[in-house]
Amino acid sequence: MNKYYQDKYKKLGSNIALYRHRKNLTQLQLAELADIDRSHMSAIELGKIGVSLDVIFMLCECLEISPKQLFDFR
């Protein structure tokens, strides 16, 4: 992971967790819906790894939000 983007990965992960909580989903439930491992979901939310666009689009579909909403960092 590029250190330069670490802050952005954390903000993205935070947004994913926020929208997941709003849908009352656990990490495991969202991971299953998105067809990824729960440990991968955890690493994404903690900002420890970068995420492919395929996973971003799948998460947005599962959370019923737009990619723009995920990248609207506070």
Side-chain angles (χ1 to χ4, degrees), residues 44-68:
I44 292 169
E45 286 190 3
L46 292 172
K48 292 186 175 184
I49 60 171
V51 187
S52 73
L53 286 175
D54 289 347
V55 172
I56 291 289
F57 294 147
M58 180 58 76
L59 290 172
C60 287
E61 191 174 306
C62 295
L63 295 170
E64 299 177 327
I65 59 172
S66 70
K68 180 187 179 309

Side-chain angles (χ1 to χ4, degrees), residues 26-40:
T26 65
Q27 279 186 349
L28 178 59
Q29 289 169 324
L30 181 56
E32 288 175 348
L33 289 171
D35 197 29
I36 61 175
D37 191 78
R38 196 221 44 93
S39 62
H40 190 192

Side-chain angles (χ1 to χ4, degrees), residues 1-11:
M1 175 174 65
N2 186 325
K3 298 275 184 194
Y4 174 78
Y5 297 118
Q6 191 169 11
D7 184 55
K8 290 177 179 19
Y9 291 145
K10 286 182 180 181
K11 289 178 181 177

